[in-house]
Amino acid sequence: RGPFLAQANPGHARPIERNRRHRALMAPLFFAVAATSSDARGPSAGGHLALVPGAGGGGWQSARFCDYPQELLLQLERGALIHEVEIAARGELAPSVVEVHLSRWSDDPSLGPGFEPAGTLQFEAEDPARRVPTSRRARLKTFAQCAGQVRLLVHGPSTRGPGNPFGQVALASVELWGREDPVSSASSSRPPAGAAAAAPPPLLGGDAGEIARVLTELGIPLDVVPPQDEEELKFANADPDTRRLLVELQRRKAKLHKASAFGEAQRLTEHMGRLADLGAELSRLAKERERLAGAGRLGDAAALEPEVRRLEAHRLDTAALFETNW
């Protein structure tokens, strides 16, 4: 799914029930405001700028007669897969457009994280018939990877008039929803030192490697082939579906090493390690469920289903994160 233009919702309308169910599958992503291009509080203002709903901090407001677009840099605790961005704007100070850019991991240790556009939120002009300005919301649904920083480019006000004599814009709150990347941190937007010197881990070689690939594609357990190293041993312990995904990711990793994309290869290796552990747990749960069903304990077997579904959802997220054919 690609990003799309999100229109503002007038008034204080809350998300509809369908959105509530959708958000139940996600989690709020916590962040801090790392920098702003201007602030109405002035450079000497104390305390941290809060953009969290209900934080009581008043949100962010640009300086008077500032240039546009204004920029806000949000720092997450770690990398994440972002599903949704929602911004609440303050009445007559609502911006016309907010561009959302997400940081990407860089393979060049001399460079900071680069940014790529994720989408645009658009706020309609305030209805002049309204006597009391209302807070407005815009929501962007996306499925994008973020290395730990979100850049908001806030364009000029959607409404100009006596209610906004200084041409300012203001955001009441920003909400980010998605899933954190458990193997990354906000400081890991660069590849680890020495990553470029690391030798690429070998794929299965020779006849054994070819047999393993064929067996995996046919769904035959890999443990019929003697494992060549610790990584392949982990593959053998995973369930068949996870093994197929791991083999595809291992081929992807080999291509990354060949292209000298060592930072991306290192991050993929970390994900594969967690995926192998997840696959081993799915295999264990499948055997346990079969054992309980065979013993007539159908209730106990059914009780394992929620955990199986949760692990399968994480596996699907990993497959989508790296745009696999799995």
Side-chain angles (χ1 to χ4, degrees):
R1 295 177 296 167
F4 64 87
L5 195 64
Q7 298 292 334
N9 297 328
H12 297 274
R14 301 304 302 163
I16 60 176
E17 188 64 29
R18 179 179 59 187
N19 291 326
R20 291 196 186 99
R21 290 197 298 268
H22 176 63
R23 280 191 172 178
L25 303 176
M26 303 179 290
L29 301 173
F30 299 100
F31 63 87
V33 181
T36 62
S37 53
S38 77
D39 191 336
R41 302 179 305 167
S44 61
H48 296 288
L49 179 61
L51 280 174
V52 180
W60 167 81
Q61 183 171 314
S62 69
R64 298 179 177 183
F65 304 114
C66 62
D67 295 326
Y68 291 103
Q70 289 286 294
E71 180 177 342
L72 282 75
L73 185 64
L74 312 181
Q75 181 71 57
L76 279 67
E77 292 183 306
R78 54 177 51 85
L81 187 63
I82 294 183
H83 291 227
E84 190 172 299
V85 179
E86 182 171 339
I87 295 179
R90 292 173 49 191
E92 292 182 333
L93 303 186
S96 56
V97 170
V98 178
E99 298 178 40
V100 181
H101 297 252
L102 305 179
S103 61
R104 291 288 188 265
W105 284 270
S106 173
D107 290 304
D108 187 344
S110 66
L111 301 175
F115 286 84
E116 293 184 3
T120 303
L121 298 97
Q122 181 172 314
F123 293 83
E124 297 176 352
E126 180 80 0
D127 184 355
R130 289 182 178 271
R131 294 185 177 181
V132 179
T134 58
S135 175
R136 287 172 286 163
R137 292 178 177 270
R139 182 182 300 115
L140 172 70
K141 292 184 178 180
T142 184
F143 193 80
Q145 186 178 346
C146 176
Q149 292 181 331
V150 178
R151 175 185 288 167
L152 302 179
L153 296 181
V154 186
H155 291 254
S158 59
T159 303
R160 293 184 181 271
N164 186 10
F166 305 112
Q168 295 169 279
V169 292
L171 303 182
S173 66
V174 176
E175 297 179 69
L176 305 176
W177 294 79
R179 289 189 178 180
E180 288 187 338
D181 183 349
V183 301
S184 74
S185 65
S187 61
S188 66
S189 54
R190 300 182 182 183
L203 292 166
L204 280 169
D207 294 337
E210 185 61 31
I211 292 172
R213 280 188 285 272
V214 172
L215 290 177
T216 301
E217 291 172 358
L218 292 175
I220 300 174
L222 276 179
D223 48 13
V224 303
V225 180
Q228 302 294 309
D229 58 25
E230 184 178 353
E231 187 177 56
E232 291 151 19
L233 179 61
K234 284 188 175 182
F235 286 18
N237 293 332
D239 67 294
D241 286 339
T242 305
R243 281 201 300 269
R244 281 191 285 272
L245 177 56
L246 284 166
V247 168
E248 182 178 349
L249 292 176
Q250 192 177 31
R251 293 172 180 169
R252 174 81 59 87
K253 184 170 66 174
K255 292 179 181 178
L256 289 172
H257 277 286
K258 188 175 182 180
S260 298
F262 299 110
E264 284 292 316
Q266 173 64 25
R267 193 169 63 86
L268 179 55
T269 299
E270 293 170 349
H271 275 279
M272 289 173 63
R274 291 184 61 86
L275 190 62
D277 292 339
L278 181 150
E281 179 63 11
L282 280 172
S283 179
R284 185 193 69 80
L285 288 172
K287 293 175 182 177
E288 178 67 9
R289 187 166 51 181
E290 185 178 352
R291 183 188 69 81
L292 291 171
R297 299 167 57 183
L298 300 182
D300 292 337
L304 300 177
E305 191 66 20
E307 178 64 9
V308 171
R309 294 291 176 235
R310 185 185 69 83
L311 295 174
E312 289 177 342
H314 279 291
R315 181 178 63 191
L316 186 60
D317 275 350
T318 302
L321 184 65
F322 292 100
E323 299 178 351
T324 67
N325 296 321
W326 179 81

